Amino acid sequence: MSSESIESLARLKAEFQKLPGIGPRTAERLVFHVLREPREAAAALAQALLDVKDKVIHCRVCYNLTETDPCRICSDPRRDQEEIWVVEQPRDVLAMESTGLIHGAYHVLMGHIAPAEGIGPEHLTLEALRDRVRRGPVREVVLALNPTLEGDGTALHVQSLLADLAVKITRLARGLAVGGQLEFATAGMLEAAIRGRTPA
Amino acid sequence: MTILHDEAIVLHRLDYSETSQVLVLFTPTHGKVRAIGKGIKRGTKSRIAVGIDLLERGTAVFSTRGERSETLATLTEWKPRSAFLGLRERLPRLYAAQYAAQLTAQLTADWDPHPALFEALGDCLLCLAEADEVLGVVVAYQQVLLREIGLQPRFDCCSGCGRSTELTHFSSLEGGLLCRHCEPAHVEKRELTPDALALLRESPCFTPSSPLEPPRAGSPGEAAPAPATPAPGPTLPSAAVRGAFDVLNYHIAHILGREPQLADLLVPPAQRRRLH
């Protein structure tokens, strides 16, 4: 029996297939998994999906995803709110938090500047970042953007945007991967490492 | 299935699924090639370096159903040679390089090789990565690009009467200059200063401090003082360079049927009349 012959199964399969990385076979497996599970499990899945859409919002301070406004990080008194880590996407906050090394706050730009694709500074939360730094007190802005051409272009734009404000602007180091070997490093990695070398 | 090896510069990059990207590569012997790099964002492929970036130059191996195939080629190997990191130090450099790449992508056809243009693009990116004044380098690249695609305007005499004096305007439709006597009969035209014209008649040349750049301040022969710190920002282009850029960009806009997207970032619209 194919799932296409039963309308509700076909509909659920079509919905699963809209998700990234889900093809027809995986979608069908998921459909039959849902079918095997008790009704409560299906209801919990449906409720979880609705909760994500209904409850998750952008923090008005840092634009990270949150259920409370301001978010947990922005309202945490143990966090150093004078140190702002600027990232491109909410997913980057998770990556940075996983290091356990960040004690400051974040600012999510919601993308990067890509003029060739029609994405300009006005499409990002850059003005909100400037306002936040201007209102202060902010001691340091750390640009933790992707080391791509667009990420570096966005970093340059942020630097020029904050140039007239009394704030220290730093960027993440780049170059060789920890645990890597020089002979296997690409020319770009080596060039970045040579340009960004630090006192031993 | 044909396996092709070539050098390449990445002109455009588009995310395709979670881990794959579609790349537009400009190569010297196969021209512009569209290829899919499966799983390249994940960086688990041993023959492809992690993350292929825009404007990166490298050596590519791709498989295709045959040269000139209309389907996407598959990138199977990528060995980066240069990422032109100097471009990322100043916004004007970055915008100028993206402008050059975008024009190359828009004005060349797939599988149509232009080895000289490939070299010129490589030289252009190399110069821009160190340039103080980027517009002169862009003008040189615009000239080479138009020559290579066979749409270079004539800058020696009037397109209407052949006169070589009193050349005051440029017409894209006429493919060249108009003299003071012929220009009133044409609606589509652009004013051109003698300085800009002199510059457009020079052979394009790529150097970080382009010969198109105006002489720096100071007495002739006087050695420039060594800066104590790196230059704080880019040098402003001269009016002649801006004029030459304006005319070539105007001509390119006519060919494309629209204004190149990044032109406004190189010379603000207030300093440049837009295409009507």
Side-chain angles (χ1 to χ4, degrees), chain A residues 116 147-150 152-153 195, chain B residues 13 53 88-89 94 261-262:
Chain A
T148 58
L149 197 83
E150 295 96 336
D152 286 340
R195 282 170 182 258
Chain B
R13 191 188 49 174
D53 210 351
R88 301 160 188 236
E89 290 171 3
L94 207 59
Q261 268 174 315
L262 289 135

Side-chain angles (χ1 to χ4, degrees), chain B residues 19-23 35-41 45 48 73-75:
Chain B
T19 57
S20 304
Q21 285 183 324
V22 173
L23 305 164
I36 184 162
K38 291 179 182 170
I40 58 175
K41 284 168 78 181
K45 294 206 168 186
I48 296 181
T74 303
L75 188 74

Side-chain angles (χ1 to χ4, degrees), chain B residues 140 143 147 198-206 211-212:
Chain B
Q143 287 176 291
R147 186 184 66 206
L199 205 148
L200 288 167
R201 283 172 166 170
E202 286 180 19
S203 296
C205 173
F206 295 104
L212 307 177

Side-chain angles (χ1 to χ4, degrees), chain A residues 77-90:
Chain A
R78 292 167 301 175
R79 289 278 187 159
D80 181 359
Q81 302 292 338
E82 294 187 16
E83 182 183 286
I84 298 177
W85 291 72
V86 179
V87 296
E88 289 183 22
Q89 300 288 351

Side-chain angles (χ1 to χ4, degrees), chain A residues 33 51 83 101 103 111 115 156-157:
Chain A
H33 174 79
D51 282 352
E83 182 183 286
L101 296 170
H103 305 292
L156 288 173
H157 192 90

Side-chain angles (χ1 to χ4, degrees), chain B residues 170-245:
Chain B
F170 171 81
S171 166
S172 191
L173 284 177
E174 295 298 319
L177 302 169
L178 295 172
C179 69
R180 189 171 58 82
H181 306 283
C182 294
E183 67 85 5
H186 293 266
V187 176
E188 183 277 308
K189 62 193 170 188
R190 195 84 163 182
E191 209 172 334
L192 184 64
T193 64
D195 285 351
L197 177 57
L199 205 148
L200 288 167
R201 283 172 166 170
E202 286 180 19
S203 296
C205 173
F206 295 104
T207 53
S209 288
S210 168
L212 307 177
E213 193 183 338
R216 291 176 188 277
S219 311
E222 182 187 326
T229 53
T235 314
L236 287 176
S238 68
V241 175
R242 281 204 307 273
F245 170 82

